[in-house]
Amino acid sequence: MADEGEPAPPIGGPKSRVTTSRRPPLDISSLHVDVNRPAAVISIGTKIIRSGYSGEFEPRVQALTESLLPGDDLETITTCKDAAEAIVARLFNTIFHRHLLLLPKGTKVVIVESLFAPTKLRDLYCRVLIEQLQVAQVSFLPSALTATFPFNVKNALVVELGASGLLVTPIHTGTTLINQAIYSPRGYASVVEKVRHQLGKHARIRLADGQLRATTDDDWATDYARETADRFAHEHSFCTSFERARSLENPDTLQPQLPELALDFGPHKLLVPGWLRETGYEVLFEECDGNETIPLHKAIHQTIRNCPIDIRATLLENILVCGGMGHVRGLYARLRDEVTAINAQSGTLPNAHPKFHRFDEARVEALLPWIGASMLADCDYGLKNRSISDEQWGQLKHVPDWPDHMMVERGP
């Protein structure tokens, strides 16, 4: 456990479309391993789609979602519109035949899904995978729960920092306390939007002849402008300290001052004041009216308060951050200070302090849900109550609600 560390190198930049890797299997010899054909483990995120085989350290392929689902295809899938089935079929064919180099027929498939994924979306995946691609079995695993497996912990407060929002979920004795979970639409997309707004307001353009001018709305309507905002948030921005954040309204008073940056901006250069590097991720912590946009530290605090009093201290001391923004420099130290401050102010847990689960030498926050699903899928247990076989699908034609499914198996 630790509170702060150096950021990992980015997994593919904004211009990178696909990254691949080849790693040896996980050492899980102490468990009963399924030695048959490995399962395909797939995670379909708003920003990145990951695919690989069970029992491996990391996905074989990581591709930007927009490269596989261009335009409005992702929205079409998530809302299960009429054209969704054809889009999903094309997506899975690309994953199996081009990324995994695998014939899907007879394969077990594990889908890493959001905790609040709609049942219609599961039905859509199963209809394509089982009826069209003829896979043998489809399993669905919630990302919040699988993120705990690499650390072998049964109690954790899982903080998922995704592209479209953040989700704080308590896990107690291996059970997801879904009623206590809190969602906020403050995700990486919100960070990029704030960065774009700040650059448009404070950055200047240096023309080829050396003249300087302010940016215009037309400048930010271009593709390279959107890539610049994404690259600035991904490569140059960081979470500033608890103390410096209180001074960002008057950036001239900040000491020390960060140097100005010169970024490629189409045919020109974009000159960015150094202090803007500290502002992007403030969107996660800014105060705002309404529960729909609750800041990150308050979401953590409120989730803990929603839980039974006897497990609150345990959750506070077992915070687990996953998702792409878990790599951001300074995030752990800022979270520690923000949660400590709000906890001291409210007096909820006066004798407990936030602690984090993380690997010191491997920054794998973005991969934790996928790695956990890979570990579980490689073991001959744990998937039965969250899986549907081709025979069951032929009878039901829909994915059952898992608690009801377990009740039927165990009896009243």
Side-chain angles (χ1 to χ4, degrees), residues 285-348:
F285 303 98
E286 290 172 343
E287 298 294 336
C288 188
D289 295 333
N291 188 57
E292 288 297 319
T293 56
I294 184 172
L296 174 58
H297 57 293
K298 286 193 173 182
I300 292 175
H301 181 257
Q302 187 59 48
T303 301
I304 292 175
R305 291 194 62 179
N306 290 345
C307 294
I309 192 172
D310 57 333
I311 68 171
R312 291 177 183 176
T314 300
L315 294 176
L316 183 62
E317 295 173 352
N318 289 274
I319 299 177
L320 195 161
V321 178
C322 63
M325 286 191 289
H327 294 276
V328 176
R329 178 180 297 181
L331 176 66
Y332 285 94
R334 180 66 180 279
L335 265 182
R336 177 197 61 204
D337 294 342
E338 292 282 0
V339 174
T340 299
I342 194 173
N343 184 45
Q345 183 180 4
S346 65
T348 303

Short mmCIF file of all heavy atoms in Angstrom, two decimals, residues 285-348:
data_model
loop_
_atom_site.label_atom_id
_atom_site.label_comp_id
_atom_site.label_asym_id
_atom_site.label_seq_id
_atom_site.Cartn_x
_atom_site.Cartn_y
_atom_site.Cartn_z
N PHE A 285 -12.90 17.32 -8.51
CA PHE A 285 -13.01 17.73 -7.11
C PHE A 285 -13.82 19.02 -6.93
O PHE A 285 -14.07 19.40 -5.79
CB PHE A 285 -11.61 17.93 -6.52
CG PHE A 285 -10.74 16.72 -6.61
CD1 PHE A 285 -9.80 16.60 -7.64
CD2 PHE A 285 -10.85 15.69 -5.70
CE1 PHE A 285 -8.98 15.48 -7.74
CE2 PHE A 285 -10.04 14.56 -5.79
CZ PHE A 285 -9.11 14.46 -6.81
N GLU A 286 -14.19 19.67 -7.99
CA GLU A 286 -14.89 20.95 -7.88
C GLU A 286 -16.27 20.77 -7.26
O GLU A 286 -16.97 19.79 -7.53
CB GLU A 286 -15.03 21.61 -9.25
CG GLU A 286 -13.73 22.11 -9.82
CD GLU A 286 -13.87 22.58 -11.25
OE1 GLU A 286 -14.88 22.24 -11.90
OE2 GLU A 286 -12.97 23.29 -11.73
N GLU A 287 -16.66 21.73 -6.45
CA GLU A 287 -17.99 21.73 -5.85
C GLU A 287 -19.02 22.15 -6.89
O GLU A 287 -18.77 23.03 -7.71
CB GLU A 287 -18.05 22.70 -4.66
CG GLU A 287 -17.10 22.34 -3.53
CD GLU A 287 -17.47 21.03 -2.85
OE1 GLU A 287 -18.65 20.65 -2.93
OE2 GLU A 287 -16.59 20.40 -2.25
N CYS A 288 -20.17 21.49 -6.86
CA CYS A 288 -21.24 21.81 -7.80
C CYS A 288 -22.56 21.41 -7.17
O CYS A 288 -22.64 20.44 -6.41
CB CYS A 288 -21.03 21.08 -9.12
SG CYS A 288 -22.17 21.57 -10.42
N ASP A 289 -23.61 22.17 -7.46
CA ASP A 289 -24.92 21.87 -6.89
C ASP A 289 -25.50 20.63 -7.54
O ASP A 289 -25.34 20.39 -8.74
CB ASP A 289 -25.87 23.05 -7.10
CG ASP A 289 -25.42 24.28 -6.34
OD1 ASP A 289 -24.74 24.10 -5.31
OD2 ASP A 289 -25.72 25.40 -6.77
N GLY A 290 -26.23 19.85 -6.75
CA GLY A 290 -26.91 18.68 -7.29
C GLY A 290 -26.12 17.40 -7.08
O GLY A 290 -24.91 17.36 -7.27
N ASN A 291 -26.79 16.34 -6.72
CA ASN A 291 -26.14 15.05 -6.46
C ASN A 291 -25.63 14.38 -7.73
O ASN A 291 -24.76 13.54 -7.68
CB ASN A 291 -27.13 14.13 -5.74
CG ASN A 291 -26.48 12.84 -5.25
OD1 ASN A 291 -25.51 12.89 -4.51
ND2 ASN A 291 -26.98 11.71 -5.70
N GLU A 292 -26.21 14.78 -8.90
CA GLU A 292 -25.81 14.16 -10.15
C GLU A 292 -24.35 14.45 -10.50
O GLU A 292 -23.73 13.73 -11.25
CB GLU A 292 -26.73 14.64 -11.28
CG GLU A 292 -28.14 14.07 -11.22
CD GLU A 292 -28.17 12.57 -11.36
OE1 GLU A 292 -27.42 12.03 -12.20
OE2 GLU A 292 -28.93 11.92 -10.62
N THR A 293 -23.83 15.54 -9.99
CA THR A 293 -22.44 15.91 -10.29
C THR A 293 -21.62 15.97 -9.01
O THR A 293 -20.79 16.84 -8.84
CB THR A 293 -22.38 17.26 -11.02
OG1 THR A 293 -23.04 18.25 -10.20
CG2 THR A 293 -23.06 17.19 -12.37
N ILE A 294 -21.83 15.05 -8.11
CA ILE A 294 -21.11 15.02 -6.85
C ILE A 294 -19.62 14.81 -7.13
O ILE A 294 -19.23 13.98 -7.96
CB ILE A 294 -21.66 13.89 -5.95
CG1 ILE A 294 -20.98 13.90 -4.58
CG2 ILE A 294 -21.54 12.54 -6.61
CD1 ILE A 294 -21.62 12.95 -3.58
N PRO A 295 -18.73 15.59 -6.49
CA PRO A 295 -17.29 15.42 -6.71
C PRO A 295 -16.77 14.09 -6.17
O PRO A 295 -17.42 13.45 -5.33
CB PRO A 295 -16.67 16.62 -5.99
CG PRO A 295 -17.70 17.05 -5.00
CD PRO A 295 -19.02 16.72 -5.60
N LEU A 296 -15.59 13.72 -6.63
CA LEU A 296 -15.04 12.40 -6.33
C LEU A 296 -14.88 12.16 -4.84
O LEU A 296 -15.30 11.11 -4.32
CB LEU A 296 -13.69 12.24 -7.05
CG LEU A 296 -12.88 10.99 -6.75
CD1 LEU A 296 -13.68 9.74 -7.05
CD2 LEU A 296 -11.57 11.01 -7.52
N HIS A 297 -14.26 13.09 -4.10
CA HIS A 297 -14.00 12.84 -2.69
C HIS A 297 -15.29 12.76 -1.88
O HIS A 297 -15.38 11.98 -0.93
CB HIS A 297 -13.07 13.92 -2.12
CG HIS A 297 -13.58 15.31 -2.27
ND1 HIS A 297 -13.72 15.91 -3.49
CD2 HIS A 297 -14.00 16.23 -1.36
CE1 HIS A 297 -14.19 17.15 -3.33
NE2 HIS A 297 -14.37 17.36 -2.05
N LYS A 298 -16.30 13.54 -2.29
CA LYS A 298 -17.58 13.45 -1.60
C LYS A 298 -18.33 12.18 -1.95
O LYS A 298 -19.06 11.63 -1.12
CB LYS A 298 -18.43 14.68 -1.92
CG LYS A 298 -17.95 15.95 -1.23
CD LYS A 298 -18.98 17.06 -1.31
CE LYS A 298 -18.55 18.26 -0.47
NZ LYS A 298 -19.56 19.34 -0.50
N ALA A 299 -18.15 11.68 -3.17
CA ALA A 299 -18.75 10.40 -3.54
C ALA A 299 -18.18 9.27 -2.69
O ALA A 299 -18.90 8.38 -2.24
CB ALA A 299 -18.54 10.13 -5.02
N ILE A 300 -16.86 9.31 -2.46
CA ILE A 300 -16.23 8.30 -1.60
C ILE A 300 -16.76 8.40 -0.18
O ILE A 300 -17.13 7.40 0.44
CB ILE A 300 -14.70 8.48 -1.63
CG1 ILE A 300 -14.14 8.13 -3.02
CG2 ILE A 300 -14.02 7.63 -0.56
CD1 ILE A 300 -12.67 8.40 -3.18
N HIS A 301 -16.80 9.62 0.34
CA HIS A 301 -17.25 9.82 1.71
C HIS A 301 -18.72 9.42 1.88
O HIS A 301 -19.08 8.74 2.86
CB HIS A 301 -17.05 11.29 2.10
CG HIS A 301 -17.46 11.60 3.51
ND1 HIS A 301 -18.64 12.25 3.82
CD2 HIS A 301 -16.85 11.35 4.70
CE1 HIS A 301 -18.74 12.38 5.13
NE2 HIS A 301 -17.67 11.85 5.68
N GLN A 302 -19.56 9.80 0.92
CA GLN A 302 -20.98 9.49 1.04
C GLN A 302 -21.23 8.00 0.89
O GLN A 302 -22.10 7.43 1.56
CB GLN A 302 -21.77 10.26 -0.02
CG GLN A 302 -23.29 10.14 0.12
CD GLN A 302 -23.78 10.64 1.47
OE1 GLN A 302 -23.40 11.73 1.90
NE2 GLN A 302 -24.61 9.86 2.15
N THR A 303 -20.49 7.33 0.01
CA THR A 303 -20.64 5.88 -0.14
C THR A 303 -20.32 5.16 1.16
O THR A 303 -21.03 4.23 1.57
CB THR A 303 -19.73 5.36 -1.26
OG1 THR A 303 -20.07 6.01 -2.48
CG2 THR A 303 -19.89 3.85 -1.43
N ILE A 304 -19.25 5.59 1.83
CA ILE A 304 -18.88 4.98 3.10
C ILE A 304 -19.98 5.22 4.14
O ILE A 304 -20.35 4.32 4.91
CB ILE A 304 -17.52 5.53 3.58
CG1 ILE A 304 -16.40 5.04 2.65
CG2 ILE A 304 -17.22 5.08 5.02
CD1 ILE A 304 -15.05 5.63 2.97
N ARG A 305 -20.52 6.43 4.16
CA ARG A 305 -21.58 6.74 5.13
C ARG A 305 -22.86 5.95 4.83
O ARG A 305 -23.64 5.68 5.75
CB ARG A 305 -21.88 8.23 5.11
CG ARG A 305 -20.77 9.09 5.67
CD ARG A 305 -21.24 10.50 5.96
NE ARG A 305 -22.28 10.50 6.98
CZ ARG A 305 -22.86 11.62 7.45
NH1 ARG A 305 -22.50 12.80 6.97
NH2 ARG A 305 -23.78 11.56 8.38
N ASN A 306 -23.06 5.57 3.58
CA ASN A 306 -24.24 4.78 3.23
C ASN A 306 -24.16 3.34 3.73
O ASN A 306 -25.17 2.64 3.79
CB ASN A 306 -24.44 4.76 1.71
CG ASN A 306 -24.87 6.10 1.16
OD1 ASN A 306 -25.30 6.99 1.91
ND2 ASN A 306 -24.76 6.27 -0.14
N CYS A 307 -22.96 2.89 4.08
CA CYS A 307 -22.74 1.50 4.48
C CYS A 307 -22.96 1.34 5.98
O CYS A 307 -22.94 2.31 6.73
CB CYS A 307 -21.32 1.06 4.10
SG CYS A 307 -21.03 1.02 2.32
N PRO A 308 -23.18 0.09 6.43
CA PRO A 308 -23.31 -0.16 7.87
C PRO A 308 -22.10 0.36 8.64
O PRO A 308 -20.96 0.31 8.15
CB PRO A 308 -23.41 -1.69 7.95
CG PRO A 308 -23.97 -2.10 6.63
CD PRO A 308 -23.40 -1.14 5.63
N ILE A 309 -22.32 0.83 9.83
CA ILE A 309 -21.29 1.51 10.59
C ILE A 309 -20.10 0.61 10.92
O ILE A 309 -18.96 1.06 11.03
CB ILE A 309 -21.89 2.11 11.89
CG1 ILE A 309 -20.89 3.06 12.55
CG2 ILE A 309 -22.33 1.00 12.85
CD1 ILE A 309 -21.47 3.83 13.71
N ASP A 310 -20.34 -0.70 11.04
CA ASP A 310 -19.26 -1.59 11.45
C ASP A 310 -18.29 -1.92 10.32
O ASP A 310 -17.24 -2.53 10.58
CB ASP A 310 -19.84 -2.89 12.04
CG ASP A 310 -20.77 -3.60 11.08
OD1 ASP A 310 -21.37 -2.92 10.23
OD2 ASP A 310 -20.91 -4.83 11.19
N ILE A 311 -18.58 -1.54 9.08
CA ILE A 311 -17.64 -1.81 7.99
C ILE A 311 -17.07 -0.52 7.39
O ILE A 311 -16.28 -0.57 6.45
CB ILE A 311 -18.29 -2.66 6.88
CG1 ILE A 311 -19.38 -1.85 6.15
CG2 ILE A 311 -18.85 -3.95 7.43
CD1 ILE A 311 -19.91 -2.55 4.90
N ARG A 312 -17.43 0.63 7.93
CA ARG A 312 -16.99 1.90 7.34
C ARG A 312 -15.48 2.07 7.43
O ARG A 312 -14.83 2.46 6.46
CB ARG A 312 -17.69 3.07 8.03
CG ARG A 312 -19.19 3.14 7.75
CD ARG A 312 -19.83 4.27 8.52
NE ARG A 312 -21.28 4.30 8.32
CZ ARG A 312 -22.11 5.13 8.93
NH1 ARG A 312 -21.63 6.01 9.83
NH2 ARG A 312 -23.40 5.11 8.68
N ALA A 313 -14.91 1.79 8.59
CA ALA A 313 -13.46 1.95 8.74
C ALA A 313 -12.71 0.99 7.81
O ALA A 313 -11.68 1.35 7.23
CB ALA A 313 -13.05 1.71 10.19
N THR A 314 -13.22 -0.23 7.67
CA THR A 314 -12.58 -1.20 6.78
C THR A 314 -12.57 -0.70 5.34
O THR A 314 -11.56 -0.84 4.63
CB THR A 314 -13.32 -2.54 6.86
OG1 THR A 314 -13.29 -3.03 8.20
CG2 THR A 314 -12.70 -3.57 5.93
N LEU A 315 -13.67 -0.12 4.90
CA LEU A 315 -13.73 0.39 3.53
C LEU A 315 -12.78 1.57 3.34
O LEU A 315 -12.11 1.67 2.31
CB LEU A 315 -15.16 0.79 3.18
CG LEU A 315 -16.20 -0.34 3.14
CD1 LEU A 315 -17.59 0.22 2.89
CD2 LEU A 315 -15.83 -1.36 2.07
N LEU A 316 -12.72 2.48 4.31
CA LEU A 316 -11.86 3.64 4.19
C LEU A 316 -10.39 3.23 4.10
O LEU A 316 -9.59 3.90 3.41
CB LEU A 316 -12.07 4.57 5.38
CG LEU A 316 -11.28 5.88 5.38
CD1 LEU A 316 -11.67 6.75 4.19
CD2 LEU A 316 -11.48 6.64 6.68
N GLU A 317 -10.03 2.15 4.75
CA GLU A 317 -8.64 1.69 4.75
C GLU A 317 -8.33 0.71 3.62
O GLU A 317 -7.23 0.16 3.56
CB GLU A 317 -8.32 1.05 6.10
CG GLU A 317 -8.38 2.05 7.26
CD GLU A 317 -8.24 1.38 8.61
OE1 GLU A 317 -8.25 0.13 8.65
OE2 GLU A 317 -8.11 2.11 9.62
N ASN A 318 -9.32 0.51 2.72
CA ASN A 318 -9.11 -0.42 1.60
C ASN A 318 -9.69 0.19 0.32
O ASN A 318 -10.55 -0.40 -0.34
CB ASN A 318 -9.77 -1.77 1.88
CG ASN A 318 -9.05 -2.58 2.94
OD1 ASN A 318 -8.11 -3.30 2.65
ND2 ASN A 318 -9.49 -2.43 4.18
N ILE A 319 -9.21 1.37 -0.04
CA ILE A 319 -9.66 2.02 -1.27
C ILE A 319 -8.87 1.47 -2.45
O ILE A 319 -7.64 1.35 -2.39
CB ILE A 319 -9.49 3.55 -1.18
CG1 ILE A 319 -10.33 4.09 -0.02
CG2 ILE A 319 -9.90 4.22 -2.48
CD1 ILE A 319 -10.17 5.58 0.21
N LEU A 320 -9.57 1.13 -3.52
CA LEU A 320 -8.94 0.54 -4.71
C LEU A 320 -9.37 1.37 -5.91
O LEU A 320 -10.55 1.43 -6.25
CB LEU A 320 -9.39 -0.91 -4.85
CG LEU A 320 -8.63 -1.82 -5.80
CD1 LEU A 320 -8.91 -3.28 -5.45
CD2 LEU A 320 -9.01 -1.57 -7.26
N VAL A 321 -8.42 2.02 -6.53
CA VAL A 321 -8.70 2.88 -7.70
C VAL A 321 -8.41 2.10 -8.97
O VAL A 321 -7.36 1.48 -9.12
CB VAL A 321 -7.84 4.15 -7.67
CG1 VAL A 321 -8.10 5.01 -8.91
CG2 VAL A 321 -8.13 4.95 -6.40
N CYS A 322 -9.36 2.10 -9.90
CA CYS A 322 -9.15 1.47 -11.19
C CYS A 322 -9.72 2.37 -12.28
O CYS A 322 -10.47 3.31 -12.01
CB CYS A 322 -9.77 0.07 -11.24
SG CYS A 322 -11.56 0.02 -11.05
N GLY A 323 -9.39 2.07 -13.52
CA GLY A 323 -9.80 2.92 -14.63
C GLY A 323 -8.64 3.72 -15.17
O GLY A 323 -7.59 3.85 -14.54
N GLY A 324 -8.83 4.29 -16.35
CA GLY A 324 -7.74 4.98 -17.04
C GLY A 324 -7.15 6.14 -16.27
O GLY A 324 -5.94 6.39 -16.33
N MET A 325 -7.97 6.88 -15.52
CA MET A 325 -7.45 8.04 -14.79
C MET A 325 -6.69 7.65 -13.53
O MET A 325 -6.14 8.51 -12.84
CB MET A 325 -8.59 9.00 -14.46
CG MET A 325 -9.09 9.78 -15.65
SD MET A 325 -10.20 11.13 -15.20
CE MET A 325 -11.65 10.22 -14.67
N GLY A 326 -6.66 6.36 -13.18
CA GLY A 326 -5.86 5.93 -12.05
C GLY A 326 -4.37 6.14 -12.25
O GLY A 326 -3.60 6.11 -11.29
N HIS A 327 -3.95 6.37 -13.52
CA HIS A 327 -2.53 6.60 -13.81
C HIS A 327 -2.10 8.04 -13.55
O HIS A 327 -0.91 8.34 -13.59
CB HIS A 327 -2.24 6.28 -15.28
CG HIS A 327 -2.40 4.84 -15.63
ND1 HIS A 327 -1.40 3.92 -15.43
CD2 HIS A 327 -3.43 4.16 -16.17
CE1 HIS A 327 -1.81 2.73 -15.83
NE2 HIS A 327 -3.04 2.85 -16.29
N VAL A 328 -3.03 8.94 -13.34
CA VAL A 328 -2.71 10.36 -13.29
C VAL A 328 -1.78 10.66 -12.12
O VAL A 328 -2.04 10.24 -10.99
CB VAL A 328 -4.00 11.20 -13.19
CG1 VAL A 328 -3.67 12.68 -13.04
CG2 VAL A 328 -4.87 10.97 -14.41
N ARG A 329 -0.74 11.41 -12.40
CA ARG A 329 0.22 11.76 -11.36
C ARG A 329 -0.44 12.63 -10.29
O ARG A 329 -1.17 13.57 -10.59
CB ARG A 329 1.40 12.52 -11.97
CG ARG A 329 2.43 12.98 -10.94
CD ARG A 329 3.57 13.71 -11.59
NE ARG A 329 4.31 12.84 -12.51
CZ ARG A 329 5.38 13.24 -13.20
NH1 ARG A 329 5.83 14.48 -13.07
NH2 ARG A 329 5.98 12.41 -14.02
N GLY A 330 -0.19 12.29 -9.04
CA GLY A 330 -0.70 13.07 -7.93
C GLY A 330 -2.09 12.70 -7.48
O GLY A 330 -2.59 13.25 -6.49
N LEU A 331 -2.75 11.76 -8.16
CA LEU A 331 -4.13 11.44 -7.83
C LEU A 331 -4.26 10.84 -6.44
O LEU A 331 -5.14 11.23 -5.66
CB LEU A 331 -4.71 10.47 -8.87
CG LEU A 331 -6.13 9.97 -8.59
CD1 LEU A 331 -7.12 11.13 -8.69
CD2 LEU A 331 -6.52 8.85 -9.53
N TYR A 332 -3.39 9.89 -6.09
CA TYR A 332 -3.51 9.22 -4.79
C TYR A 332 -3.27 10.20 -3.64
O TYR A 332 -4.00 10.18 -2.64
CB TYR A 332 -2.52 8.05 -4.71
CG TYR A 332 -2.92 6.85 -5.51
CD1 TYR A 332 -2.46 6.66 -6.81
CD2 TYR A 332 -3.77 5.89 -4.98
CE1 TYR A 332 -2.84 5.56 -7.55
CE2 TYR A 332 -4.16 4.77 -5.71
CZ TYR A 332 -3.68 4.61 -7.00
OH TYR A 332 -4.06 3.52 -7.74
N ALA A 333 -2.27 11.05 -3.78
CA ALA A 333 -2.00 12.02 -2.71
C ALA A 333 -3.16 13.01 -2.57
O ALA A 333 -3.55 13.36 -1.44
CB ALA A 333 -0.71 12.77 -3.00
N ARG A 334 -3.72 13.44 -3.69
CA ARG A 334 -4.84 14.39 -3.62
C ARG A 334 -6.07 13.72 -3.02
O ARG A 334 -6.79 14.32 -2.19
CB ARG A 334 -5.14 14.90 -5.03
CG ARG A 334 -6.30 15.89 -5.10
CD ARG A 334 -5.96 17.19 -4.37
NE ARG A 334 -7.08 18.11 -4.45
CZ ARG A 334 -7.34 18.89 -5.49
NH1 ARG A 334 -6.53 18.86 -6.56
NH2 ARG A 334 -8.37 19.70 -5.48
N LEU A 335 -6.36 12.48 -3.42
CA LEU A 335 -7.49 11.75 -2.85
C LEU A 335 -7.32 11.57 -1.35
O LEU A 335 -8.27 11.74 -0.58
CB LEU A 335 -7.63 10.39 -3.53
CG LEU A 335 -8.60 10.27 -4.70
CD1 LEU A 335 -8.63 8.83 -5.20
CD2 LEU A 335 -9.98 10.74 -4.33
N ARG A 336 -6.12 11.21 -0.94
CA ARG A 336 -5.85 11.01 0.49
C ARG A 336 -6.15 12.28 1.27
O ARG A 336 -6.83 12.25 2.31
CB ARG A 336 -4.40 10.60 0.68
CG ARG A 336 -3.95 10.42 2.13
CD ARG A 336 -2.44 10.43 2.21
NE ARG A 336 -1.92 11.71 1.74
CZ ARG A 336 -0.69 11.86 1.26
NH1 ARG A 336 0.13 10.84 1.17
NH2 ARG A 336 -0.28 13.06 0.85
N ASP A 337 -5.67 13.42 0.77
CA ASP A 337 -5.85 14.68 1.50
C ASP A 337 -7.30 15.14 1.48
O ASP A 337 -7.82 15.64 2.49
CB ASP A 337 -4.96 15.76 0.90
CG ASP A 337 -3.48 15.48 1.10
OD1 ASP A 337 -3.15 14.66 1.99
OD2 ASP A 337 -2.64 16.06 0.38
N GLU A 338 -7.98 15.00 0.35
CA GLU A 338 -9.37 15.43 0.25
C GLU A 338 -10.27 14.59 1.15
O GLU A 338 -11.14 15.11 1.86
CB GLU A 338 -9.85 15.36 -1.20
CG GLU A 338 -9.21 16.34 -2.16
CD GLU A 338 -9.79 17.74 -2.02
OE1 GLU A 338 -10.69 17.95 -1.17
OE2 GLU A 338 -9.33 18.64 -2.76
N VAL A 339 -10.09 13.26 1.11
CA VAL A 339 -10.93 12.38 1.92
C VAL A 339 -10.62 12.58 3.40
O VAL A 339 -11.53 12.57 4.24
CB VAL A 339 -10.72 10.91 1.50
CG1 VAL A 339 -11.46 9.97 2.44
CG2 VAL A 339 -11.19 10.70 0.07
N THR A 340 -9.34 12.77 3.74
CA THR A 340 -8.98 13.03 5.14
C THR A 340 -9.63 14.31 5.64
O THR A 340 -10.14 14.36 6.77
CB THR A 340 -7.45 13.11 5.28
OG1 THR A 340 -6.86 11.87 4.89
CG2 THR A 340 -7.06 13.41 6.72
N ALA A 341 -9.63 15.35 4.81
CA ALA A 341 -10.21 16.64 5.22
C ALA A 341 -11.71 16.54 5.44
O ALA A 341 -12.24 17.03 6.45
CB ALA A 341 -9.88 17.70 4.17
N ILE A 342 -12.41 15.90 4.51
CA ILE A 342 -13.86 15.81 4.65
C ILE A 342 -14.24 14.87 5.78
O ILE A 342 -15.25 15.05 6.47
CB ILE A 342 -14.52 15.39 3.32
CG1 ILE A 342 -16.03 15.62 3.37
CG2 ILE A 342 -14.22 13.94 2.99
CD1 ILE A 342 -16.71 15.38 2.06
N ASN A 343 -13.40 13.85 6.03
CA ASN A 343 -13.66 12.93 7.14
C ASN A 343 -13.46 13.64 8.48
O ASN A 343 -14.24 13.46 9.42
CB ASN A 343 -12.74 11.72 7.03
CG ASN A 343 -13.01 10.68 8.09
OD1 ASN A 343 -14.16 10.36 8.37
ND2 ASN A 343 -11.96 10.17 8.71
N ALA A 344 -12.41 14.46 8.57
CA ALA A 344 -12.17 15.21 9.81
C ALA A 344 -13.26 16.24 10.05
O ALA A 344 -13.68 16.48 11.19
CB ALA A 344 -10.81 15.88 9.73
N GLN A 345 -13.73 16.86 8.97
CA GLN A 345 -14.77 17.87 9.11
C GLN A 345 -16.10 17.29 9.58
O GLN A 345 -16.81 17.88 10.40
CB GLN A 345 -14.96 18.58 7.77
CG GLN A 345 -15.98 19.71 7.81
CD GLN A 345 -16.14 20.38 6.46
OE1 GLN A 345 -15.54 19.96 5.47
NE2 GLN A 345 -16.94 21.42 6.40
N SER A 346 -16.44 16.10 9.06
CA SER A 346 -17.71 15.48 9.42
C SER A 346 -17.63 14.66 10.70
O SER A 346 -18.65 14.40 11.34
CB SER A 346 -18.19 14.58 8.28
OG SER A 346 -17.27 13.49 8.10
N GLY A 347 -16.41 14.21 11.07
CA GLY A 347 -16.25 13.38 12.25
C GLY A 347 -16.80 11.99 12.10
O GLY A 347 -17.11 11.32 13.08
N THR A 348 -16.93 11.53 10.84
CA THR A 348 -17.51 10.20 10.60
C THR A 348 -16.64 9.09 11.17
O THR A 348 -17.12 8.21 11.90
CB THR A 348 -17.69 9.98 9.09
OG1 THR A 348 -18.51 11.03 8.56
CG2 THR A 348 -18.38 8.64 8.82
#
